[in-house]
């Protein structure tokens, strides 16, 4: 408790000392009231665009350096009327050249693409923002920035909505014209200004540049450095309702060869609705949702003692996900949406999909300082699988404090509640609840970030220590990057709708990195890194300890290299098979010390051929391990991306433990025939689970944000290619704005 008290005092001191630090001097952009219609064609020949006044230029370099003006000119102009926001951008070059687009698929991501990106903070909180991007071939991306953009994970490209753009390529430049309906955005009636920034990614020079300067040690998506966009007159909202309906029709046929069962073609109908409430709240409704078009998870070789986290991929749960899933941290998530609609088959003990009957979610802003999220989902009863329907409720509330920090409260409830046509079954003792509070620190200059939270679970039985506590602080400047984290998870902490791979531990984790920036055409930055991670509890003492010393090199080509030595101590508090292949386990109560060398390399992502490689070599419990994980890719223009995931682990253990040669191979072919027609095939062979999986998906975007999917999935035994399970599904949805 003394450690907790000191950490809370430290966090409060840093909050007061740094949350009020000053940003760079203001630099304003202006949005002009449109006096004539815009024809969306990518040709900037309207009077608003031909007028030389009002363009926002003088972009500054962000990478490879942040100390000079960009050598290639970029300029952006903004206009508006009663219904739309209009943007035009001109990206000049120093001569003719080719452009890089890794795909024609919507929501491109990565440093290797040419692109212009517009960031709009419509509530001036410098914490959350909309992001719209276009590349030279007219491919769009839209996303939501949350938590101040302090990490790359704070940009979610899962958010989809209707907006329009056209791009044109000329000999010396490329340009775009964009129309964003004001109904797509959330903002206050009568708003006179927003916060804004624009940034450009240029593949030829390997440069990224921003209109409002951002230090290169801060993520480019950071909202700390947004500047004002001032409208010529206050914005007004249209009087009509902001409602979108997204109905779908689907069909599925499947066969289970192991059980000898077959499902004939089964139709399904359902849909979603999006209803704008007030200036900044959105009500999402879903009835009988179908997620058959969602891509399968990319498998990994699991050599850990704990459950592996797989990210959510279902669209309904992804929009505004930060309101619910930003609570906690990776080792203690109070809410994990994949727990909804997934249950345990009582006959096999395996994860199975449980049908979701309905879902409702209200999320958004109450005003400039308050955000709210409320969700309720109901799953169905499946008597054959021994699954009882359950009801899930999540409530989240965030209050902005200081410049960019916030205080949040979360409540999660899981009830055993079965609904059918004749009766309602409710077990008042079968519940699991969580209440928690999080404080998130984001200083105005982006140098200080941190988090303190306390969560507690409640069940019908009285238990001891059902809590999770964490205090974390990160400081970053041009050279130094250090973090300090302390975590305490009680032995009875049990968030059944969350993700907590282990309990009953205390964890201490200080890290420090120092970076040099040489005057070199080859190396952009390099420096040493020291990491410590220790786990212990009151009963067993120290259970895990990692001490890692590494060196990081980032090249001007965007390639990266990290070499480190890992020194590990592990105490087994339960029996553990180090190969996870069903061999003789190592006994509980034994302890092990071993060393490994790790090499992590990522090649220039702009190259036609690129490589990601992670190698691990050295001791492994009582034996040794040589492990290589690679992802190779070949990009054929923007039409095809062919990649291969390969994971090989050679484990040699003395008797009576098993030796193992674990192989996971995953070729993937992604074809983008046009900006509206895509075909993806993913094959995965994993000898650790004795399975070959084939998943192939055809997607036709026949109208804006409206798709037809055809998905075929097959599973085989690797040895004789005897089939296990097979399915074919189709899904058609349509986005209708009322």
């Amino acid at each position: 408790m003394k450690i907790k008290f000191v950490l809370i005092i430290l966090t409060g001191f840093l909050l007061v000392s740094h949350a009020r630090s000053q940003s760079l001097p203001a630099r304003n952009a202006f949005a002009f009231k449109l006096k004539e219609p815009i024809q969306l064609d990518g040709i900037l020949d309207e009077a608003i665009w031909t007028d030389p006044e009002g363009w926002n230029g003088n972009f500054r370099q962000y990478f490879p350096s942040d100390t000079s003006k960009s050598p290639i000119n970029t300029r952006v102009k903004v206009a508006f009327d009663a219904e739309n926001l209009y943007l035009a951008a001109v990206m000049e070059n120093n001569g003719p050249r080719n452009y890089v687009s890794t795909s024609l698929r919507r929501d491109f991501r990565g440093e290797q693409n040419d692109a212009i990106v517009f960031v709009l903070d419509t509530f001036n909180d410098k914490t959350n923002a909309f992001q719209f991007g276009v590349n030279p071939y007219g491919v769009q991306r839209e996303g939501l920035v949350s938590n101040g953009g302090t990490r790359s994970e704070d940009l979610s490209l899962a958010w989809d909505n209707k907006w329009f753009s056209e791009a044109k390529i000329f000999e010396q430049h490329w340009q775009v014209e964009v129309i964003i309906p004001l109904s797509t955005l959330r903002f206050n009636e009568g708003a006179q200004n927003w916060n804004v920034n624009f940034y450009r990614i240029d593949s030829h020079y390997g440069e990224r540049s921003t209109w409002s300067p951002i230090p290169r040690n801060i993520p480019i998506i950071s909202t700390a450095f947004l500047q004002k966009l001032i409208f010529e007159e206050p914005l007004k909202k249209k009087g009509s309702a902001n409602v979108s309906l997204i109905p779908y029709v689907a069909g599925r046929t499947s066969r289970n060869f192991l059980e000898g069962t077959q499902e004939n073609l089964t139709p399904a109908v359902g849909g979603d609705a999006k209803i704008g409430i007030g200036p900044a709240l959105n009500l999402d409704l879903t009835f009988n949702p179908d997620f058959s078009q969602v891509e399968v998870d990319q498998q990994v070789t699991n050599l850990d003692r704990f459950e592996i986290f797989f990210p959510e991929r279902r669209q309904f749960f992804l929009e505004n996900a930060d309101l619910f899933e930003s609570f906690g941290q990776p080792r203690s998530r109070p809410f994990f949406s994949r727990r909804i609609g997934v249950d345990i088959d009582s006959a096999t003990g395996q994860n199975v999909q449980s049908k979701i009957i309905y879902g409702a979610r209200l999320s958004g802003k109450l005003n400039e300082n308050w955000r709210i999220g409320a969700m309720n989902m109901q799953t169905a009863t499946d008597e054959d699988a021994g699954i009882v329907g359950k009801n899930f409720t999540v409530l989240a509330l965030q209050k902005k404090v200081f410049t960019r920090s916030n205080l949040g409260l979360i409540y999660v409830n899981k009830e055993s509640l079965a609904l059918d046509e004749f009766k309602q079954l409710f077990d008042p003792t079968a519940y699991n609840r969580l209440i928690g509070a999080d404080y998130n620190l984001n200083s105005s200059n982006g140098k200080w970030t941190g988090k303190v939270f306390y969560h507690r679970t409640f069940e019908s039985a009285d238990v001891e220590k059902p809590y999770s506590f964490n205090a974390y602080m990160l400081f970053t400047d041009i050279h130094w990057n250090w973090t300090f984290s302390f975590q305490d998870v009680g032995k009875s902490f049990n968030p059944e709708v969350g993700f907590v791979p282990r309990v009953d531990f205390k964890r201490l984790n200080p890290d420090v990195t120092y970076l040099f920036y040489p005057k070199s055409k080859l190396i952009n930055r390099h420096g040493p890194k020291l990491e410590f991670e220790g786990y212990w509890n009151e009963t067993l003492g120290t259970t895990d300890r990692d001490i890692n010393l590494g060196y990081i090199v980032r090249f001007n080509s965007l390639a990266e290299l990290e070499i480190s030595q890992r020194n590990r101590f592990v105490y087994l508090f339960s029996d553990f098979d180090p190969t996870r292949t069903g061999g003789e386990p190592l006994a509980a109560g034994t302890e092990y010390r071993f060393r490994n060398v790790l090499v992590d390399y990522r090649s220039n992502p702009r190259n036609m051929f690129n490589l990601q490689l992670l190698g691990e070599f050295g001791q492994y419990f009582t034996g040794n391990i040589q492990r290589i994980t690679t992802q190779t890719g070949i990009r054929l223009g923007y039409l095809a991306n062919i990649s291969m995931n390969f994971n090989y682990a050679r484990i040699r253990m003395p008797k009576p433990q098993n030796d193992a040669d674990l192989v996971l191979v995953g070729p993937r072919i992604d074809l983008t025939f046009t900006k509206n027609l895509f075909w993806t095939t993913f094959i995965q062979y994993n000898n650790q689970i004795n399975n070959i999986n084939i998943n192939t998906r055809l997607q036709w975007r026949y109208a804006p944000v409206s798709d037809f999917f055809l998905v075929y999935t097959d599973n085989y035994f690797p040895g004789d290619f005897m089939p296990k399970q097979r399915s074919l599904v189709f899904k058609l949805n349509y986005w209708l704005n009322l």
Side-chain angles (χ1 to χ4, degrees):
M1 293 302 296
K2 291 181 179 179
I3 295 178
K4 294 180 188 177
F5 179 76
V6 171
L7 289 169
I8 292 173
I9 296 298
L10 174 63
T11 303
F13 172 77
L14 292 172
L15 182 154
V16 173
S17 300
H18 299 282
R20 296 193 176 102
S21 55
Q22 299 299 311
S23 300
L24 294 174
R27 182 185 186 193
N28 296 331
F30 292 89
F32 300 90
K33 183 66 179 293
L34 201 63
K35 296 181 174 61
E36 62 178 27
I38 292 288
Q39 180 180 353
L40 185 65
D41 54 11
I43 305 297
L44 307 180
D45 53 358
E46 289 85 3
I48 188 70
W49 308 138
T50 57
D51 186 346
E53 298 296 325
W55 288 88
N56 304 286
N58 297 317
F59 278 49
R60 301 282 298 183
Q61 270 196 355
Y62 169 80
F63 183 89
S65 176
D66 60 0
T67 59
S68 61
K69 179 182 175 182
S70 171
I72 47 176
N73 293 325
T74 304
R75 60 184 188 274
V76 177
K77 196 171 189 180
V78 186
F80 71 102
D81 60 18
E83 297 185 352
N84 301 304
L85 185 75
Y86 303 87
L87 299 114
V90 179
M91 282 60 63
E92 298 181 7
N93 300 308
N94 293 336
R97 45 156 296 193
N98 295 321
Y99 299 97
V100 173
S101 175
T102 55
S103 170
L104 293 179
R105 187 188 299 273
R106 194 184 186 102
D107 289 341
F108 61 90
R109 187 167 191 168
E111 301 168 322
Q112 63 269 47
N113 293 272
D114 285 277
I116 182 71
V117 180
F118 313 98
V119 183
L120 306 173
D121 168 16
T122 58
F123 281 90
N124 297 313
D125 62 11
K126 291 196 173 183
T127 304
N128 304 280
F130 298 94
Q131 192 184 100
F132 300 88
V134 186
N135 78 9
Y137 300 98
V139 181
Q140 296 180 333
R141 84 176 200 186
E142 68 273 86
L144 298 175
V145 179
S146 60
N147 302 317
T150 58
R151 306 168 303 161
S152 60
E153 295 84 356
D154 293 334
L155 170 61
S156 170
L157 299 178
W159 178 70
D160 283 330
N161 220 307
K162 281 190 175 182
W163 59 289
F164 312 93
S165 64
E166 290 290 340
K168 295 290 183 182
I169 296 175
F170 299 90
E171 185 176 3
Q172 299 291 334
H173 72 281
W174 65 281
Q175 60 191 39
V176 301
E177 196 170 28
V178 175
I179 299 178
I180 303 174
L182 291 176
S183 61
T184 295
L185 304 169
R186 301 286 180 259
F187 60 92
N188 280 328
E189 175 82 18
Q192 187 77 55
N193 60 77
W194 296 346
N195 287 326
V196 71
N197 203 0
F198 321 112
Y199 67 85
R200 176 182 179 181
I201 306 171
D202 185 85
S203 66
H204 183 71
Y205 291 101
E207 180 193 77
R208 283 173 289 166
S209 57
T210 63
W211 172 70
S212 176
I214 299 176
R216 59 180 169 178
N217 59 292
I218 303 292
I220 198 170
I221 63 171
S222 172
T223 57
F225 303 91
L226 300 180
Q227 303 294 353
K228 287 299 180 186
L229 172 66
I230 300 174
F231 292 91
E232 191 173 347
E233 61 182 50
L235 290 173
K236 297 180 180 179
K237 286 183 173 290
K238 292 182 61 178
S240 59
N242 183 9
V243 178
S244 298
L245 299 180
I246 314 169
Y248 82 83
V249 58
R252 172 189 175 91
T253 179
S254 66
R255 184 176 180 183
N256 189 319
F257 293 88
L258 299 179
E259 299 179 0
T261 58
Q262 182 168 337
E263 178 185 10
N264 295 324
L265 184 63
T266 305
V269 295
D272 298 343
K274 295 178 177 293
I275 305 170
I277 300 176
L281 285 174
N282 195 71
L283 176 63
D284 290 282
L285 304 173
T286 186
F287 169 71
N288 193 28
D290 177 88
F291 304 112
S292 57
Q293 84 282 7
V294 175
E295 289 189 3
V296 297
D297 291 315
Q298 180 174 315
Q299 298 176 18
V300 297
T301 299
N302 185 9
L303 296 177
D304 201 349
R305 291 168 290 160
F306 308 105
E307 180 185 6
I308 291 178
F309 179 84
F310 288 100
E312 177 63 83
R313 296 179 180 271
R314 297 170 294 178
Q315 181 66 34
F316 180 83
F317 295 99
L318 291 174
E319 298 184 16
N320 288 325
D322 74 284
L323 258 174
F324 305 97
E325 298 189 355
S326 63
F327 288 85
Q329 50 100 273
R331 286 164 301 278
S332 181
R333 301 174 187 264
F335 174 67
F336 179 37
S337 58
R338 283 182 70 131
R339 303 299 190 201
I340 301 177
V342 178
D343 219 310
I344 303 297
D345 189 319
S346 60
T348 65
Q350 298 297 311
N351 284 341
V352 294
Q353 294 293 321
S354 58
K355 181 180 178 181
I356 296 175
I357 301 174
Y358 69 80
R361 182 184 61 220
L362 179 70
S363 60
K365 278 184 170 289
L366 297 174
N367 54 43
E368 292 189 4
N369 294 320
W370 289 92
R371 298 178 76 206
I372 188 172
M375 179 190 301
N376 185 266
M377 309 287 291
Q378 176 67 46
T379 62
T381 295
D382 186 341
E383 294 183 358
D384 294 336
I387 296 172
V388 177
K390 296 177 178 63
N391 186 267
F392 301 83
T393 299
V394 187
L395 301 174
L397 189 67
Q398 278 189 358
K399 169 68 166 65
K400 177 185 174 183
V401 294
F402 301 106
T403 307
R404 299 171 60 238
S405 303
N406 64 72
L407 179 66
L409 301 174
I410 187 169
Y411 169 75
V412 184
N413 183 53
K414 175 185 176 182
E415 301 273 4
S416 178
L417 178 63
L419 303 177
D420 60 30
E421 296 178 358
F422 309 104
K423 59 184 177 179
Q424 174 173 304
L425 302 177
F426 174 65
D427 183 351
T429 65
Y431 66 84
N432 180 268
R433 295 168 186 152
L434 177 143
I435 296 176
D438 288 40
Y439 173 73
N440 295 287
L441 168 67
N442 284 307
S443 69
S444 60
N445 61 7
K447 288 187 175 182
W448 292 91
T449 59
K451 175 186 280 283
V452 176
F453 68 75
Y454 181 84
H455 302 154
R456 184 181 178 91
T457 55
F458 300 86
E459 298 174 277
S460 57
D462 291 331
V463 294
E464 185 181 357
K465 297 183 178 180
Y467 66 84
S468 176
F469 169 83
N470 186 84
Y472 165 81
M473 185 65 64
L474 164 66
F475 170 78
T476 180
D477 68 6
I478 195 66
H479 293 292
W480 288 100
N481 184 298
W482 64 259
T483 66
F484 180 86
S485 175
F486 173 78
Q487 186 175 8
D488 183 2
V489 178
K491 64 181 180 181
S492 299
F493 183 62
N494 181 34
E496 292 184 2
V497 197
F499 180 85
V500 183
R502 65 189 292 185
V503 295
D504 192 17
F505 70 87
K506 294 177 174 61
R507 174 181 177 269
L508 188 66
N509 177 216
D511 298 338
V512 62
T513 303
Y514 186 87
L515 293 176
F516 302 93
Y517 293 84
K519 294 181 179 179
S520 168
K521 294 183 179 180
L522 177 64
I523 297 176
N524 181 267
R525 64 192 75 174
H526 64 92
K529 178 173 71 172
L530 178 63
E531 301 173 323
F532 174 88
E533 183 178 31
Y535 289 80
W536 74 95
N537 63 34
E538 296 174 357
T539 304
L540 302 174
T542 300
T543 60
D544 299 81
R545 183 175 59 245
D546 282 11
I547 303 175
N548 304 326
L549 178 62
Y551 207 90
I552 304 169
V553 182
R554 185 165 196 191
F555 301 88
N556 286 320
S557 66
L558 303 179
E560 298 182 43
L561 173 65
E562 179 177 346
I563 301 175
S564 58
Q565 183 186 37
R566 187 179 188 184
N567 300 271
R568 300 193 66 188
F569 167 82
V570 174
Y571 175 91
L572 295 181
F573 38 82
S574 60
D575 292 348
F576 175 63
D577 171 16
T579 64
R580 296 181 72 101
T581 58
E584 180 72 19
L586 299 173
T590 54
E591 57 186 46
Y592 305 89
R593 291 174 173 82
F594 46 98
R595 297 179 180 178
N596 302 81
V597 174
L598 290 86
V599 179
D600 190 353
Y601 173 73
R602 299 170 184 264
S603 68
N604 181 354
R606 295 173 294 161
N607 292 342
M608 183 183 73
F609 175 83
N610 57 77
L611 169 68
Q612 298 180 21
L613 181 148
L614 175 63
E616 179 181 359
F617 313 94
Q619 300 165 327
Y620 184 65
F621 291 95
T622 57
N624 59 73
I625 185 172
Q626 293 85 41
R627 182 176 180 180
I628 296 178
T629 302
T630 67
Q631 179 171 319
T632 56
I634 299 176
R635 177 174 48 82
L636 305 179
Y638 49 68
L639 296 177
N641 284 274
I642 303 171
S643 62
M644 171 70 78
N645 296 323
F646 177 76
N647 189 328
Y648 172 67
R650 180 182 184 274
I651 301 174
R652 294 295 180 262
M653 307 289 292
K655 297 297 182 182
Q657 279 72 47
N658 281 356
D659 291 342
D661 292 279
L662 304 178
V663 179
L664 192 157
V665 180
R668 179 189 178 103
I669 302 173
D670 193 356
L671 304 177
T672 56
F673 302 106
T674 69
K675 286 187 286 185
N676 300 310
L677 185 61
F678 320 112
W679 181 29
T680 302
T681 298
F682 196 14
I683 302 172
Q684 298 186 91
Y685 163 65
N686 188 341
N687 73 343
Q688 191 179 38
I689 59 174
N690 197 33
N691 190 67
I692 294 177
N693 171 261
I694 300 173
N695 180 267
T696 184
R697 185 179 75 159
L698 180 69
Q699 178 185 0
W700 173 34
R701 177 148 286 190
Y702 63 91
V705 209
S706 305
D707 300 282
F708 171 77
F709 295 95
L710 186 65
V711 184
Y712 174 77
T713 303
D714 216 338
N715 291 276
Y716 297 91
F717 287 102
D720 51 13
F721 282 89
M722 289 294 292
K724 296 181 178 180
Q725 292 176 317
R726 181 175 295 158
S727 68
L728 178 68
V729 300
F730 75 85
K731 181 178 179 181
L732 179 72
N733 61 44
Y734 182 73
W735 187 298
L736 175 65
N737 285 341
L738 301 182

